Amino acid sequence: MSQFIKIYEDNPNEAAIKKVVNVLRDGGLIIYPTDTVYGLGCDITNTKALERIAKIKGIKLEKANFSFICSDLSNLSDYVKQINTSTFKILKRALPGPYTFILPGNNDLPKEFRKKKTVGIRVPDNNITIEIVKMLGNPIVSTSIHDEDEVLEYSTDPELIFEKWQNLVDLVIDGGYGDNVPSTIIDLSGHEPEVIRVGKGDVDII
């Protein structure tokens, strides 16, 4: 049976965060709030959990474009090739914030992602997410959850999300209403920054 936990963003309860982290360490899937839409995530180091997310999304794991959710930029060198100063300045300026940055992946990526030349890196401006990733000790792999609704592309009400997803995931966090505008995606893997999707983040940052 899936758990439904209320966590307040302005003061995330440590015991509640620990519960979430334990679920992730056990290979569980969580739905959690970010600074944009609610996300579906798992521990980056757990192959079975990664395969479960890919199955839910109806895609092959090696073809999946999941984001890596980090708590800050200190994990970057674990997954990303050496980046130049101007790229680092953009990241520093924009993060934490509602952006996904596409960066060149290195050879230390988890084996499931080694065939990919690039990775999407995200540091959401949301205390709940940041505290989960910090306590877990490594990034979580994430994808947005979409709604079948004609009007809204993304689900925003955590109680409705729980109703819909409780048989597919192990834990849903109620972090308040989510946004229904996704992150802005910017590709920094080439010579010039390229905006792939305009979302919540202001593209003038680059």
Side-chain angles (χ1 to χ4, degrees), residues 6-13 33 125-129 131 175-176:
K6 175 85 184 160
I7 303 179
Y8 294 95
E9 199 213 333
D10 50 3
N11 189 16
N13 177 293
D125 188 10
N126 181 292
N127 289 333
I128 299 169
T129 315
E131 291 307 316

Side-chain angles (χ1 to χ4, degrees):
M1 184 61 189
S2 185
Q3 299 180 65
F4 188 54
I5 296 183
K6 175 85 184 160
I7 303 179
Y8 294 95
E9 199 213 333
D10 50 3
N11 189 16
N13 177 293
E14 195 177 332
I17 296 288
K18 197 167 188 176
K19 257 188 193 169
V20 178
V21 168
N22 287 339
V23 166
L24 288 167
R25 287 197 179 127
D26 286 342
L29 306 189
I30 67 165
I31 289 179
Y32 65 98
T34 69
D35 51 356
T36 58
V37 300
Y38 267 80
L40 166 65
C42 72
D43 185 337
I44 196 172
T45 64
N46 193 298
T47 305
K48 279 208 171 85
L50 291 167
E51 283 168 351
R52 274 178 70 194
I53 291 190
K55 193 175 174 190
I56 287 171
K57 296 291 276 191
I59 46 180
K60 284 197 161 73
L61 182 52
E62 59 273 15
K63 291 204 163 74
N65 287 322
F66 296 145
S67 300
F68 292 8
I69 308 287
C70 304
S71 57
D72 54 37
L73 293 174
S74 63
N75 290 108
L76 265 195
S77 56
D78 295 347
Y79 307 104
V80 171
K81 283 181 182 165
Q82 186 81 35
I83 51 177
N84 61 34
T85 314
S86 60
T87 300
F88 191 73
K89 277 185 180 162
I90 292 172
L91 297 175
K92 205 88 179 111
R93 210 164 42 233
L95 300 174
Y99 297 90
T100 302
F101 287 105
I102 312 277
L103 295 162
N106 66 20
N107 298 329
D108 296 329
L109 282 172
K111 62 180 185 303
E112 295 80 14
F113 302 105
R114 288 219 186 114
K115 287 185 181 158
K116 297 184 83 62
K117 297 203 165 32
T118 58
V119 291
I121 297 288
R122 184 121 159 63
V123 184
D125 188 10
N126 181 292
N127 289 333
I128 299 169
T129 315
I130 299 285
E131 291 307 316
I132 291 167
V133 177
K134 270 188 191 160
M135 195 183 280
L136 182 63
N138 53 257
I140 51 182
V141 163
S142 182
T143 180
S144 303
I145 59 167
H146 289 260
D147 201 309
E148 276 79 57
D149 190 293
E150 302 283 305
V151 186
L152 278 177
E153 193 184 347
Y154 299 95
S155 308
T156 57
D157 181 337
E159 287 187 12
L160 293 178
I161 291 171
F162 179 67
E163 257 174 53
K164 185 179 154 191
W165 287 82
Q166 59 184 325
N167 298 323
L168 290 169
V169 302
D170 303 281
L171 183 143
V172 175
I173 296 170
D174 175 357
Y177 272 86
D179 208 324
N180 62 353
V181 181
S183 63
T184 292
I185 301 176
I186 299 172
D187 189 341
L188 296 177
S189 65
H191 294 301
E192 290 292 321
E194 186 188 349
V195 178
I196 306 294
R197 176 179 76 191
V198 177
K200 193 174 172 185
D202 189 347
V203 294
D204 291 345
I205 199 98
I206 57 172

